[in-house]
Amino acid sequence: MLMILNDVYPNSIMSKISCLHSRPDLIASCSSLLLSVWPFTKTERLQLLEKENCTGFPCSLVLIDQKENQPDYVIGHIRLAPCLEPPEGVYLEALCIDQTQTGRGLGVKMMKHAEEYAVTALGLKQAFLWSATSMRGYYSKLMWQEYTKFGITTVGGNILGQYNGATTWRGNVPPTGWESAYEECYHEDMKDYLIMTKYLKKN
């Protein structure tokens, strides 16, 4: 699954979105981006996770900037993790764009591509994310709505530890073999967050 974004950067030969496990040479670049946004990210886990999940799901999608006579580097990231409940769901997290590239709509493009990847490549039907209440309006414009049912069960949310102050939370379980990655620590301010959802459709 690949999205070409020639129209985004007039000075680029090409920019594209790809699965990180198909470009292991860019793990270091991706790690640098994550650390620039979330300094607490445990980037040493990223390489191990990408080796384990060499195809399919869960996965990280990255926006790669390619310029003539320059090495490729990562300027955007979003991670997809499974949901046990509801079934056929995907949990989206860790969306970030290089600070030098903000204001160009790349975050929206990453979100849309993650949704497309989930439905076309993975056969999933519903996407979820945690959002600060202050961001409700932003996601509503992207056709997301508040999920008012009891909750969701995610597998491997925050496995990279990017969110300082919460190792895990109720309804989030570790992937097999990663039980030690989660401590008994839950987000103390979940009242300021809400679950957003979107039903996925093939374009």
Side-chain angles (χ1 to χ4, degrees):
M1 179 63 61
L2 180 69
M3 177 182 285
I4 307 300
L5 300 177
N6 307 68
D7 58 324
V8 176
Y9 297 102
N11 297 323
S12 296
I13 298 300
M14 180 169 27
S15 296
K16 61 185 179 183
I17 297 175
S18 185
C19 293
L20 183 58
H21 55 242
S22 69
R23 290 294 308 269
D25 58 304
L26 292 176
I27 290 177
S29 179
C30 183
S31 297
S32 295
L33 172 63
L34 291 169
L35 285 170
S36 73
V37 179
W38 299 293
F40 298 94
T41 304
K42 296 178 174 61
T43 53
E44 68 276 5
R45 295 178 179 174
L46 188 60
Q47 186 165 0
L48 295 174
L49 288 165
E50 291 303 319
K51 285 183 178 179
E52 287 182 1
N53 305 310
C54 56
T55 58
F57 184 51
C59 66
S60 287
L61 301 180
V62 290
L63 175 59
I64 306 166
D65 194 39
Q66 299 178 315
K67 291 186 174 70
E68 189 174 13
N69 300 321
Q70 296 184 29
D72 294 353
Y73 68 100
V74 174
I75 58 173
H77 173 274
I78 190 169
R79 186 159 181 81
L80 292 78
C83 288
L84 294 179
E85 183 62 37
E88 299 183 321
V90 58
Y91 172 64
L92 305 181
E93 67 171 0
L95 171 65
C96 60
I97 299 296
D98 188 302
Q99 294 180 0
T100 66
Q101 307 294 340
T102 58
R104 301 187 180 186
L106 299 183
V108 173
K109 291 180 182 293
M110 290 288 292
M111 284 285 293
K112 290 183 177 179
H113 185 68
E115 294 166 14
E116 181 183 348
Y117 181 83
V119 69
T120 58
L122 303 175
L124 303 174
K125 297 180 179 180
Q126 192 172 6
F128 299 90
L129 56 81
W130 278 103
S131 168
T133 54
S134 61
M135 293 293 290
R136 187 202 311 256
Y138 172 82
Y139 287 112
S140 295
K141 291 179 181 179
L142 300 179
M143 307 304 293
W144 288 71
Q145 58 187 343
E146 185 175 353
Y147 187 66
T148 57
K149 296 184 180 180
F150 180 71
I152 60 174
T153 303
T154 53
V155 181
N158 196 34
I159 193 67
L160 299 178
Q162 68 270 14
Y163 304 130
N164 184 35
T167 305
T168 185
W169 49 83
R170 291 178 178 84
N172 182 48
V173 298
T176 301
W178 284 85
E179 290 79 6
S180 62
Y182 291 152
E183 301 170 359
E184 292 300 321
C185 175
Y186 296 94
H187 204 298
E188 296 179 355
D189 298 314
M190 294 308 268
K191 65 179 184 301
D192 295 325
Y193 289 79
L194 49 86
I195 301 173
M196 303 292 288
T197 188
K198 184 176 184 179
Y199 289 96
L200 304 175
K201 298 185 295 183
K202 291 184 179 180
N203 294 329

